[in-house]
Amino acid sequence: MFSPQLKIAIIGAGPAGLTLGLLLHKRGISATIFELRQRPTDEEFAKPTGSLDLHEGSGLAAIRECDLLDEFVSLTGDCTEAQRISDKDGNIIYADEGESGNRPEISRHKIVKLLLSHLPPPTIKWGHKLICAKSSTTSGHTEIELDFGENGKRILNLVIGADGAWSKIRTLLTDVKPQYVGMQIITINVRQISTKHPHLAEFIGTGTFTSLGNRHGIFSQRSVQDSARIYIFISTQDEHFASTNGLSTKTAAQAKGQLLGDDLPFSRWGANLKELVAVACDDESANDPGANIDIRPLYKLPAGHTWEHHLGATVIGDAAHLMSPPAGEGVNIAMKDSLLLSQAIVKAHEIGGQDAVSLRDALDPLIKDFEVDMAVRAKEMVKGTLEVSEMMFGGEDGAKTMANWFKSMGTSPE
């Protein structure tokens, strides 16, 4: 156990922040995680949510370092690694059962609950909304002040922003802000799909389903409660599309007619795809009456952006390198960030020992090296993500382009 010579804060209790906190905890280094939301209840954890596929060398490497691989594997399977691709008419043009897959899927709620279960409860301060972060240097010693409004202020030696796209910690490092990518996403769920709508369950399969055309998309992933989580991607240059079209104040059921109406391209898509969207809209409103439809614009940070190193603060995950989500790399590079940053912090403690000044002197260059390495990794990942996004949404027949790509990768079942 290292002496608590550094006061460390992690902002954000998503997979990246929790992974970092757990890795430090396992090495005897104290860190406090501050999270905007209240702690989810067991009922909330049991609700359908998105599925994350973890990759070798990044997400899975972090899980192994946390000594959680066996528990992790036991929680996978709600969404298999099977893939199906259909054209906009609803014709399946590619399918596999994930035979060569090595990217196990886990629901976001399950991985968050898993990580939480191995952290001491006092580690996380729930319901702490960060208002602003300020940096000050006195006699060569830098401290970060975090203002949590009614929850008071904290003075820290090291603050790590794992606080997502609109990170408050990133504002200490750079003025760069996320840019709209020209895409809106709608998220809706169908529960007990195999029982209530077996023909749709058969259509989308047991894993990930993708339908693309005319630069738009309908995706699904299987999840808990025998559910299917439906994502509708709409290409538009209107960043405020939801309010412009009156969708932001409608329930999913109320929005159904508009989504499938003549003003949007899905009116000309296949009957099975339109039924999937309609069923999901009705089910979403039946399970959460009165709630507005979940529609939001997508953003990214500029490719290759960097910042001048700042004493006492850094960022990881989406706070550092926000990418467009369809490629599925975000959580993996974020957990890799957590793994490598934890190693830098542990190494600083080993070098600096019990002396606070020596520890801080050792830590700063290690974090600077981490940021340089992260920028290189992120630049490569952004390049790959852009290539996948271009295949999906860059042309009129993204389904055919994606199907051919899968086949070229040797994953075709034929």
Side-chain angles (χ1 to χ4, degrees):
M1 175 71 73
F2 293 105
S3 296
Q5 300 290 354
L6 283 183
K7 293 181 180 178
I8 302 174
I10 300 166
I11 310 302
L18 293 174
T19 298
L20 177 58
L22 181 54
L23 288 168
L24 294 177
H25 171 68
K26 292 181 73 67
R27 296 302 298 269
I29 298 173
S30 177
T32 303
I33 302 172
F34 295 92
E35 169 56 38
L36 166 67
R37 301 164 299 166
Q38 297 296 329
R39 192 189 195 286
T41 64
D42 287 343
E43 182 181 5
E44 289 169 330
F45 272 131
K47 290 181 178 180
T49 186
S51 185
L52 306 173
D53 61 316
L54 298 197
H55 305 173
E56 290 290 350
S58 52
L60 287 176
I63 289 292
R64 286 193 178 92
E65 192 70 15
C66 290
D67 294 326
L68 294 179
L69 185 62
D70 289 343
E71 286 184 74
F72 167 83
V73 170
S74 73
L75 297 172
T76 63
D78 294 307
C79 182
T80 72
E81 295 182 66
Q83 294 278 348
R84 288 194 179 188
I85 300 174
S86 91
D87 61 23
K88 63 183 179 64
D89 297 318
N91 302 307
I92 302 295
I93 61 173
Y94 175 84
D96 68 49
E97 297 304 318
E99 301 91 344
S100 59
N102 59 354
R103 296 180 169 187
E105 300 267 1
I106 186 170
S107 83
R108 181 182 179 88
H109 286 171
K110 285 187 176 182
I111 194 170
V112 167
K113 190 174 182 180
L114 172 64
L115 293 166
L116 279 175
S117 70
H118 289 268
L119 279 165
T123 300
I124 305 175
K125 305 301 181 185
W126 300 97
H128 277 62
K129 180 180 180 180
L130 179 61
I131 306 302
C132 65
K134 297 178 181 178
S135 175
S136 62
T137 301
T138 305
S139 301
H141 176 50
T142 299
E143 293 181 326
I144 309 296
E145 179 187 88
L146 302 180
D147 184 352
F148 293 102
E150 62 183 19
N151 287 308
K153 297 179 180 180
R154 304 291 181 98
I155 303 296
L156 289 308
N157 305 120
L158 175 62
V159 175
I160 299 118
D163 48 343
W166 303 100
S167 169
K168 291 287 200 307
I169 302 306
R170 189 177 60 237
T171 62
L172 291 172
L173 311 175
T174 175
D175 294 329
V176 171
K177 291 180 173 59
Q179 305 167 341
Y180 177 56
V181 302
M183 183 80 67
Q184 304 279 323
I185 184 173
I186 295 171
T187 306
I188 43 183
N189 299 283
V190 186
R191 296 153 184 83
Q192 287 85 46
I193 189 171
S194 298
T195 302
K196 295 179 179 178
H197 311 282
H199 61 295
L200 292 178
E202 174 62 28
F203 174 53
I204 63 175
T206 61
T208 299
F209 170 86
T210 306
S211 183
L212 298 162
N214 306 123
R215 295 181 169 82
H216 308 288
I218 298 173
F219 290 38
S220 83
Q221 290 181 312
R222 299 302 291 270
S223 187
V224 299
Q225 298 183 16
D226 185 31
S227 65
R229 191 168 181 87
I230 312 300
Y231 302 97
I232 302 171
F233 289 88
I234 301 172
S235 292
T236 173
Q237 292 308 306
D238 182 3
E239 183 177 358
H240 307 290
F241 175 85
S243 56
T244 301
N245 290 271
L247 289 170
S248 59
T249 57
K250 292 182 178 179
T251 67
Q254 291 168 342
K256 175 178 64 175
Q258 191 170 344
L259 290 175
L260 300 176
D262 291 338
D263 290 340
L264 289 176
F266 301 113
S267 65
R268 297 178 292 278
W269 285 38
N272 43 7
L273 292 164
K274 290 191 289 185
E275 183 184 6
L276 180 65
V277 171
V279 162
C281 284
D282 288 339
D283 189 80
E284 190 67 34
S285 290
N287 279 274
D288 195 1
N292 291 337
I293 191 169
D294 182 355
I295 177 170
R296 56 187 175 89
L298 294 178
Y299 296 89
K300 66 178 180 180
L301 286 167
H305 87 98
T306 58
W307 56 86
E308 186 175 344
H309 174 68
H310 188 293
L311 282 168
T314 192
V315 288
I316 59 176
D318 284 351
H321 38 66
L322 178 66
M323 305 177 198
S324 188
E329 295 291 352
V331 72
N332 284 285
I333 190 171
M335 292 177 73
K336 182 67 173 289
D337 293 344
S338 300
L339 174 59
L340 295 179
L341 182 55
S342 73
Q343 292 171 348
I345 295 171
V346 169
K347 186 174 181 180
H349 279 76
E350 292 172 345
I351 293 172
Q354 303 297 314
D355 181 70
V357 174
S358 298
L359 175 55
R360 291 166 187 157
D361 288 345
L363 181 62
D364 188 55
L366 289 169
I367 290 183
K368 187 174 182 178
D369 289 345
F370 160 78
E371 290 174 337
V372 171
D373 173 76
M374 178 172 60
V376 173
R377 288 186 293 108
K379 187 176 182 179
E380 285 299 309
M381 205 61 69
V382 166
K383 179 181 177 183
T385 297
L386 290 174
E387 289 172 354
V388 173
S389 294
E390 180 65 21
M391 282 192 286
M392 289 180 172
F393 303 111
E396 297 302 309
D397 195 353
K400 182 178 179 180
T401 304
M402 283 298 294
N404 289 339
W405 180 74
F406 269 100
K407 292 172 183 176
S408 74
M409 298 293 287
T411 56
S412 173
E414 300 173 359

